[in-house]
């Protein structure tokens, strides 16, 4: 396979077990028991995916995830012994792509790793394909909606000239809404297009990410300028 997986967990037995299963599937593993060394590795190596424990001796997985998302777009899977929904929402809104609660079966984690890598490769292929098919990439690959500028070609976003740092998921959500500006995008459609999975009625992942996006865009809580909620249906961006 050739992909390099970062594993960060201060529980040596768990980290070693995850490493063993990943290596058996042909992955290269960079394993660490603390966040400081893990971040040094991220800046030094070409990482394909990161598995981060939430609780670490020198920092926490949320902090590592946030620092990764400042520069990198590879998938991140969070590991935690907690089951509170708020922890899951926190991880997802900081840019995590998946969430696994301890105890877990190593084969399940390996399956999650493969799923995230397939999804990441698919999105990259689609981006390249769109650029190759476009005669004028900038004309097709960007939108400017009342000062909100977003570029599919460069994965950049600015608001009135100020750069907005978006996670890969946040970028995909905003891009999809911009592509369908003026139309209401149902939550189910948004989730299935961005995450590539079947939407469940109890899923609040979209809502959590929309809230985070609005925060980054400095949107007024009651009268947002860009991402508007159509109650009971979904979301839309007006041209």
């Amino acid at each position: 396979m050739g992909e390099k997986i970062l594993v960060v967990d201060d529980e040596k037995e768990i980290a070693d077990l995850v490493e063993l299963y990943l290596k058996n599937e042909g992955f290269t593993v960079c394993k660490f028991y603390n966040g400081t060394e893990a971040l040094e590795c991220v800046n030094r190596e070409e990482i394909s995916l990161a598995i981060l424990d939430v609780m670490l001796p020198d920092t926490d997985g949320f902090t590592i995830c946030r620092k990764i998302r400042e520069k990198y777009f590879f998938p991140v899977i969070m590991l935690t012994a907690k089951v509170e929904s708020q922890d899951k929402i926190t991880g997802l809104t900081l840019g995590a792509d998946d969430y696994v609660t301890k105890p877990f079966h190593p084969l399940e984690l390996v399956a999650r790793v493969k799923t995230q890598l397939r999804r990441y490769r698919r999105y990259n292929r689609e981006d390249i394909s769109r650029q190759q098919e476009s005669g004028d990439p900038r004309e097709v690959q960007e939108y400017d909606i009342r000062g909100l500028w977003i570029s599919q070609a460069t994965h950049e976003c600015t608001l009135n000239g100020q750069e907005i740092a978006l996670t890969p998921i946040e970028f995909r959500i905003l891009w999809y809404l911009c592509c369908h500006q003026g139309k209401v995008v149902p939550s189910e459609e948004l989730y299935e297009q961005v995450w590539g999975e079947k939407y469940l009625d109890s899923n609040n992942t979209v809502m959590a990410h929309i809230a985070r996006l609005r925060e980054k865009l400095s949107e007024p809580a009651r009268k947002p300028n860009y991402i508007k909620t159509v109650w009971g249906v979904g979301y839309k961006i007006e041209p």
Side-chain angles (χ1 to χ4, degrees):
M1 288 183 181
E3 288 97 345
K4 188 172 293 185
I5 311 299
L6 174 70
V7 176
V8 189
D9 197 315
D10 65 333
E11 295 185 63
K12 187 176 185 301
E13 296 79 5
I14 293 178
D16 292 350
L17 187 63
V18 170
E19 178 187 31
L20 176 62
Y21 274 78
L22 288 172
K23 284 187 173 181
N24 285 342
E25 294 295 325
F27 294 107
T28 299
V29 177
C30 298
K31 179 183 63 178
F32 299 95
Y33 306 122
N34 63 77
T36 302
E37 293 181 347
L39 284 172
E40 292 174 355
C41 174
V42 168
N43 293 320
R44 184 177 66 248
E45 303 287 345
E46 187 173 342
I47 301 298
S48 301
L49 180 145
I51 300 173
L52 309 176
D53 186 26
V54 170
M55 303 300 294
L56 294 168
D58 56 343
T59 182
D60 59 68
F62 297 141
T63 299
I64 298 175
C65 182
R66 185 173 63 249
K67 289 184 178 296
I68 286 174
R69 284 294 175 252
E70 291 175 357
K71 297 171 61 177
Y72 305 102
F73 294 99
F74 56 76
V76 174
I77 298 176
M78 305 295 296
L79 299 180
T80 182
K82 297 181 179 180
V83 295
E84 289 88 347
S85 60
Q86 185 57 47
D87 290 322
K88 181 175 182 179
I89 292 173
T90 299
L92 292 173
T93 54
L94 286 175
D97 299 274
D98 203 354
Y99 209 89
V100 177
T101 303
K102 298 178 181 179
F104 59 86
H105 195 290
L107 287 177
E108 176 192 356
L109 181 58
V110 170
R112 299 280 189 99
V113 167
K114 291 180 178 179
T115 296
Q116 291 300 326
L117 287 173
R118 281 197 302 269
R119 185 178 303 161
Y120 183 63
R121 289 193 294 264
R122 187 183 77 234
Y123 277 119
N124 284 346
R125 286 197 302 268
E126 288 175 354
D127 289 349
I128 294 172
S129 177
R130 291 191 193 100
Q131 293 174 26
Q132 291 175 340
E133 292 173 2
S134 171
D136 185 351
R138 290 189 61 83
E139 180 180 334
V140 176
Q141 293 295 311
E142 65 182 46
Y143 290 98
D144 191 339
I145 303 174
R146 292 175 283 112
L148 175 62
W149 178 81
I150 184 169
S151 170
Q152 175 76 348
T154 63
H155 274 252
E156 293 177 313
C157 178
T158 63
L159 179 60
N160 298 322
Q162 298 296 314
E163 183 177 358
I164 305 296
L166 301 178
T167 68
I169 291 292
E170 290 166 354
F171 184 93
R172 292 168 197 161
I173 291 173
L174 187 58
W175 178 258
Y176 194 81
L177 290 173
C178 287
C179 287
H180 296 81
Q181 57 187 289
K183 300 179 181 178
V184 180
V185 178
S187 299
E188 295 90 339
E189 177 183 337
L190 192 57
Y191 183 84
E192 291 176 1
Q193 289 295 323
V194 172
W195 278 268
E197 299 174 354
K198 185 66 177 175
Y199 180 86
L200 301 176
D201 290 340
S202 60
N203 198 321
N204 60 4
T205 303
V206 172
M207 182 174 63
H209 280 80
I210 290 292
R212 181 63 173 166
L213 262 174
R214 284 173 171 161
E215 180 181 334
K216 290 187 175 183
L217 296 174
S218 301
E219 293 269 58
R222 295 188 176 182
K223 292 185 177 181
N225 296 318
Y226 295 101
I227 305 175
K228 298 184 177 181
T229 300
V230 180
W231 294 107
V233 183
Y235 304 92
K236 70 174 180 178
I237 289 182
E238 295 288 0

